[in-house]
Amino acid sequence: MVAAHPSADGDALLDWNESPIGPPPLAVKRVVDAAERLHRYPRGLLEEVTALAAAHHGVGTDQVLLMAGVDEAIDMTLSLADRAWGLKPGFDGYPDRAAANNKPFHPIPLGSDWQPPAGLPAGLGAGDIVYLAQPGNPTGNLVPTAWIDALRSVAGHVFIDETYQEFSDRPGILSRTGGPQPGLLVYRSFSKAAGLAGIRLGCLVGDAATIARLEPMRRFMPIDAVSLHAATGLLEEPQFMVRLAEYVRETRVDLCAMLRASGLFAEVRESQTNFVLARPDAAVHEALLAVLAEDRVRVKDCANVGLPGWLRISVGTPQDHGRLGLGLSRLAASLVERAAA
Ligand SMILES: Cc1ncc(COP(=O)(O)O)c(C=O)c1O
């Protein structure tokens, strides 16, 4: 039988950066209310939600397309360029979708400080699109705005993925540029800061001419009724996003403090997102992973996303953190015992 609710299986899910306070209540209500009408196409609802989303982001309705997740936004925007570029380590969706679309992907390597090189990559030009998550994943940090501006002055298109924006201290790029600009594309996800990962919905924001160029590429009724109803509930009650962001900002400080106090980590970095990065002492790395697996606390091992030795740990519920803390204490105590023996 398929599990109706994977988290009900009892794992502490600190690996995929989902909402620790559940979904927006009004979004749930709208979905439940709409269930009896699922035999109908969602006539007019895409336009309604697009208008709500545009107002939420302070842009015109002709400057937004609702997207079924970032993959669709990447697929569409790849059509604007011959080559794609992105930071390494960086979000794996960019090279993956470039490969799926038969477009070359050029990595821009980050330094040991997880910042891009001082200059711009050689060869970048009008036929290129650069994909940049700000804040980044897996690094959780921001790159200098001056570097982003320099990219924009050379690359044909720059796609700023603001999936984690609401958790960051720096305002989003559209507030700095005074709104959409030619060559600039911005993705805002409903998965993280809006607590709606289950519907994979987001907004692609761009200047009206670029949006008009991309719009005909969409399928008929590209966003399903359940997602659209959830989005109406979210956008009619934006206070939920404020509450979620506040919870994450406060709780990630506590999470870092707990990790540091355990004495098991060589380095813990508070991020601009809803996760933190922690590097266990090399000597305890394997033992720590074993304890977490035994306690069914899931975290993301960053070895296969370009940060070997690092763990990405989402900000979770108080229960999740309690469970993580118990595992850390147990391991620390066993190490003390072993040292004393
Ligand atoms: C940088 C970044 N962009 C996008 C996403 C996914 O967003 P969506 O669920 O809206 O496709 C993630 C998910 O981990 C991410 O880390």
Short mmCIF file of all heavy atoms in Angstrom, two decimals, residues 41-76:
data_model
loop_
_atom_site.label_atom_id
_atom_site.label_comp_id
_atom_site.label_asym_id
_atom_site.label_seq_id
_atom_site.Cartn_x
_atom_site.Cartn_y
_atom_site.Cartn_z
N TYR A 41 -12.51 21.24 -15.37
CA TYR A 41 -11.26 21.97 -15.60
C TYR A 41 -11.31 23.24 -14.75
O TYR A 41 -12.40 23.81 -14.54
CB TYR A 41 -11.12 22.36 -17.07
CG TYR A 41 -10.81 21.19 -17.99
CD1 TYR A 41 -11.78 20.66 -18.83
CD2 TYR A 41 -9.53 20.64 -18.02
CE1 TYR A 41 -11.50 19.61 -19.68
CE2 TYR A 41 -9.24 19.57 -18.88
CZ TYR A 41 -10.22 19.06 -19.69
OH TYR A 41 -9.94 18.01 -20.53
N PRO A 42 -10.15 23.72 -14.30
CA PRO A 42 -10.16 24.93 -13.46
C PRO A 42 -10.32 26.20 -14.29
O PRO A 42 -9.40 27.02 -14.38
CB PRO A 42 -8.80 24.87 -12.76
CG PRO A 42 -7.92 24.10 -13.69
CD PRO A 42 -8.80 23.13 -14.43
N ARG A 43 -11.49 26.37 -14.86
CA ARG A 43 -11.77 27.50 -15.75
C ARG A 43 -11.48 28.85 -15.08
O ARG A 43 -12.03 29.11 -14.01
CB ARG A 43 -13.26 27.50 -16.10
CG ARG A 43 -13.58 27.20 -17.52
CD ARG A 43 -15.07 27.18 -17.66
NE ARG A 43 -15.50 25.79 -17.74
CZ ARG A 43 -16.31 25.32 -18.69
NH1 ARG A 43 -16.79 26.13 -19.59
NH2 ARG A 43 -16.65 24.05 -18.71
N GLY A 44 -10.61 29.63 -15.67
CA GLY A 44 -10.36 31.00 -15.19
C GLY A 44 -9.48 31.09 -13.95
O GLY A 44 -9.08 32.18 -13.56
N LEU A 45 -9.20 29.97 -13.34
CA LEU A 45 -8.48 30.01 -12.06
C LEU A 45 -7.00 30.36 -12.25
O LEU A 45 -6.39 31.02 -11.41
CB LEU A 45 -8.63 28.65 -11.36
CG LEU A 45 -8.39 28.62 -9.85
CD1 LEU A 45 -9.18 29.71 -9.12
CD2 LEU A 45 -8.76 27.25 -9.29
N LEU A 46 -6.42 29.93 -13.36
CA LEU A 46 -5.01 30.25 -13.63
C LEU A 46 -4.84 31.78 -13.68
O LEU A 46 -3.91 32.33 -13.08
CB LEU A 46 -4.56 29.63 -14.96
CG LEU A 46 -3.11 29.89 -15.35
CD1 LEU A 46 -2.14 29.17 -14.42
CD2 LEU A 46 -2.85 29.45 -16.79
N GLU A 47 -5.77 32.44 -14.36
CA GLU A 47 -5.70 33.90 -14.49
C GLU A 47 -5.87 34.56 -13.12
O GLU A 47 -5.17 35.52 -12.78
CB GLU A 47 -6.78 34.41 -15.46
CG GLU A 47 -6.58 33.99 -16.91
CD GLU A 47 -6.85 32.50 -17.20
OE1 GLU A 47 -7.46 31.82 -16.34
OE2 GLU A 47 -6.42 32.02 -18.27
N GLU A 48 -6.81 33.99 -12.33
CA GLU A 48 -7.08 34.57 -11.00
C GLU A 48 -5.84 34.46 -10.11
O GLU A 48 -5.43 35.42 -9.46
CB GLU A 48 -8.24 33.77 -10.37
CG GLU A 48 -9.00 34.50 -9.31
CD GLU A 48 -10.11 33.60 -8.74
OE1 GLU A 48 -10.99 33.17 -9.51
OE2 GLU A 48 -10.04 33.31 -7.55
N VAL A 49 -5.23 33.28 -10.10
CA VAL A 49 -4.07 33.07 -9.24
C VAL A 49 -2.87 33.87 -9.76
O VAL A 49 -2.08 34.41 -8.98
CB VAL A 49 -3.73 31.57 -9.12
CG1 VAL A 49 -2.47 31.36 -8.28
CG2 VAL A 49 -4.88 30.81 -8.51
N THR A 50 -2.75 33.97 -11.08
CA THR A 50 -1.67 34.78 -11.65
C THR A 50 -1.78 36.22 -11.17
O THR A 50 -0.78 36.85 -10.79
CB THR A 50 -1.70 34.72 -13.20
OG1 THR A 50 -1.57 33.35 -13.59
CG2 THR A 50 -0.56 35.52 -13.82
N ALA A 51 -3.01 36.74 -11.15
CA ALA A 51 -3.21 38.13 -10.70
C ALA A 51 -2.85 38.26 -9.22
O ALA A 51 -2.19 39.23 -8.81
CB ALA A 51 -4.66 38.56 -10.94
N LEU A 52 -3.25 37.28 -8.40
CA LEU A 52 -2.92 37.31 -6.97
C LEU A 52 -1.40 37.24 -6.78
O LEU A 52 -0.83 37.96 -5.95
CB LEU A 52 -3.57 36.13 -6.23
CG LEU A 52 -5.08 36.19 -6.00
CD1 LEU A 52 -5.58 34.85 -5.44
CD2 LEU A 52 -5.44 37.31 -5.04
N ALA A 53 -0.75 36.36 -7.54
CA ALA A 53 0.70 36.18 -7.41
C ALA A 53 1.43 37.44 -7.86
O ALA A 53 2.41 37.86 -7.24
CB ALA A 53 1.15 34.97 -8.21
N ALA A 54 0.96 38.04 -8.94
CA ALA A 54 1.60 39.27 -9.44
C ALA A 54 1.50 40.36 -8.38
O ALA A 54 2.47 41.06 -8.09
CB ALA A 54 0.93 39.71 -10.74
N ALA A 55 0.32 40.50 -7.78
CA ALA A 55 0.14 41.52 -6.73
C ALA A 55 1.06 41.22 -5.55
O ALA A 55 1.68 42.12 -4.99
CB ALA A 55 -1.32 41.55 -6.30
N HIS A 56 1.16 39.94 -5.20
CA HIS A 56 2.01 39.55 -4.06
C HIS A 56 3.47 39.96 -4.31
O HIS A 56 4.16 40.41 -3.40
CB HIS A 56 1.90 38.04 -3.84
CG HIS A 56 2.77 37.54 -2.73
ND1 HIS A 56 2.49 37.80 -1.41
CD2 HIS A 56 3.92 36.83 -2.74
CE1 HIS A 56 3.44 37.26 -0.65
NE2 HIS A 56 4.32 36.67 -1.44
N HIS A 57 3.93 39.80 -5.55
CA HIS A 57 5.32 40.12 -5.86
C HIS A 57 5.50 41.56 -6.37
O HIS A 57 6.61 41.97 -6.72
CB HIS A 57 5.89 39.13 -6.89
CG HIS A 57 6.03 37.75 -6.33
ND1 HIS A 57 6.80 37.48 -5.22
CD2 HIS A 57 5.50 36.56 -6.70
CE1 HIS A 57 6.74 36.18 -4.93
NE2 HIS A 57 5.95 35.61 -5.81
N GLY A 58 4.40 42.31 -6.42
CA GLY A 58 4.49 43.71 -6.81
C GLY A 58 4.84 43.93 -8.27
O GLY A 58 5.55 44.89 -8.62
N VAL A 59 4.38 43.01 -9.15
CA VAL A 59 4.65 43.15 -10.59
C VAL A 59 3.34 43.05 -11.35
O VAL A 59 2.29 42.72 -10.77
CB VAL A 59 5.65 42.07 -11.08
CG1 VAL A 59 6.99 42.20 -10.37
CG2 VAL A 59 5.09 40.66 -10.89
N GLY A 60 3.39 43.30 -12.65
CA GLY A 60 2.18 43.24 -13.47
C GLY A 60 1.81 41.80 -13.81
O GLY A 60 2.68 40.91 -13.80
N THR A 61 0.54 41.57 -14.13
CA THR A 61 0.11 40.21 -14.48
C THR A 61 0.80 39.73 -15.78
O THR A 61 0.94 38.53 -16.00
CB THR A 61 -1.41 40.11 -14.69
OG1 THR A 61 -1.81 41.18 -15.53
CG2 THR A 61 -2.15 40.19 -13.38
N ASP A 62 1.22 40.69 -16.62
CA ASP A 62 1.92 40.30 -17.86
C ASP A 62 3.41 40.04 -17.61
O ASP A 62 4.17 39.82 -18.55
CB ASP A 62 1.73 41.38 -18.93
CG ASP A 62 2.22 42.76 -18.49
OD1 ASP A 62 2.54 42.93 -17.28
OD2 ASP A 62 2.29 43.66 -19.34
N GLN A 63 3.81 40.08 -16.34
CA GLN A 63 5.23 39.85 -16.01
C GLN A 63 5.41 38.56 -15.21
O GLN A 63 6.48 38.32 -14.66
CB GLN A 63 5.76 41.05 -15.21
CG GLN A 63 5.78 42.34 -16.04
CD GLN A 63 6.13 43.57 -15.22
OE1 GLN A 63 5.67 43.73 -14.09
NE2 GLN A 63 6.96 44.43 -15.78
N VAL A 64 4.35 37.74 -15.14
CA VAL A 64 4.40 36.51 -14.33
C VAL A 64 3.82 35.33 -15.09
O VAL A 64 2.80 35.47 -15.75
CB VAL A 64 3.54 36.67 -13.04
CG1 VAL A 64 3.57 35.39 -12.22
CG2 VAL A 64 4.04 37.80 -12.19
N LEU A 65 4.50 34.19 -14.96
CA LEU A 65 3.91 32.92 -15.40
C LEU A 65 3.95 31.96 -14.21
O LEU A 65 5.01 31.80 -13.59
CB LEU A 65 4.72 32.30 -16.54
CG LEU A 65 4.67 32.98 -17.91
CD1 LEU A 65 5.59 32.23 -18.87
CD2 LEU A 65 3.24 33.02 -18.45
N LEU A 66 2.83 31.32 -13.91
CA LEU A 66 2.86 30.28 -12.89
C LEU A 66 3.53 29.05 -13.50
O LEU A 66 3.25 28.69 -14.64
CB LEU A 66 1.44 29.92 -12.43
CG LEU A 66 0.71 30.97 -11.59
CD1 LEU A 66 -0.63 30.40 -11.13
CD2 LEU A 66 1.51 31.42 -10.39
N MET A 67 4.39 28.44 -12.72
CA MET A 67 5.18 27.30 -13.21
C MET A 67 4.96 26.08 -12.33
O MET A 67 4.86 26.22 -11.09
CB MET A 67 6.67 27.64 -13.11
CG MET A 67 7.15 28.74 -14.01
SD MET A 67 7.46 28.11 -15.67
CE MET A 67 6.24 28.96 -16.61
N ALA A 68 4.94 24.91 -12.95
CA ALA A 68 4.86 23.66 -12.18
C ALA A 68 6.28 23.31 -11.69
O ALA A 68 6.92 22.40 -12.20
CB ALA A 68 4.28 22.55 -13.04
N GLY A 69 6.76 24.08 -10.74
CA GLY A 69 8.09 23.84 -10.16
C GLY A 69 9.20 24.50 -10.97
O GLY A 69 8.99 24.97 -12.09
N VAL A 70 10.37 24.51 -10.35
CA VAL A 70 11.50 25.20 -10.97
C VAL A 70 11.94 24.51 -12.26
O VAL A 70 12.45 25.15 -13.17
CB VAL A 70 12.68 25.32 -9.97
CG1 VAL A 70 13.39 24.00 -9.74
CG2 VAL A 70 13.68 26.39 -10.42
N ASP A 71 11.70 23.18 -12.35
CA ASP A 71 12.14 22.45 -13.55
C ASP A 71 11.48 23.04 -14.80
O ASP A 71 12.13 23.21 -15.83
CB ASP A 71 11.78 20.97 -13.44
CG ASP A 71 12.37 20.34 -12.20
OD1 ASP A 71 12.02 20.79 -11.10
OD2 ASP A 71 13.18 19.42 -12.32
N GLU A 72 10.17 23.34 -14.69
CA GLU A 72 9.49 23.90 -15.85
C GLU A 72 10.06 25.27 -16.19
O GLU A 72 10.25 25.61 -17.37
CB GLU A 72 7.97 24.01 -15.59
CG GLU A 72 7.24 24.44 -16.85
CD GLU A 72 5.73 24.56 -16.71
OE1 GLU A 72 5.21 24.69 -15.59
OE2 GLU A 72 5.07 24.54 -17.76
N ALA A 73 10.37 26.05 -15.15
CA ALA A 73 10.94 27.39 -15.38
C ALA A 73 12.31 27.27 -16.06
O ALA A 73 12.65 28.06 -16.94
CB ALA A 73 11.04 28.14 -14.07
N ILE A 74 13.10 26.29 -15.63
CA ILE A 74 14.43 26.11 -16.26
C ILE A 74 14.25 25.65 -17.71
O ILE A 74 14.88 26.19 -18.63
CB ILE A 74 15.28 25.08 -15.47
CG1 ILE A 74 15.46 25.51 -14.02
CG2 ILE A 74 16.64 24.90 -16.14
CD1 ILE A 74 16.04 24.42 -13.12
N ASP A 75 13.38 24.66 -17.90
CA ASP A 75 13.16 24.15 -19.27
C ASP A 75 12.78 25.28 -20.22
O ASP A 75 13.30 25.39 -21.32
CB ASP A 75 12.05 23.10 -19.27
CG ASP A 75 12.51 21.77 -18.67
OD1 ASP A 75 13.71 21.61 -18.39
OD2 ASP A 75 11.64 20.89 -18.47
N MET A 76 11.84 26.12 -19.78
CA MET A 76 11.37 27.20 -20.66
C MET A 76 12.45 28.21 -20.94
O MET A 76 12.66 28.63 -22.08
CB MET A 76 10.21 27.91 -19.98
CG MET A 76 8.92 27.24 -20.19
SD MET A 76 7.67 28.50 -20.03
CE MET A 76 6.28 27.46 -20.22
#
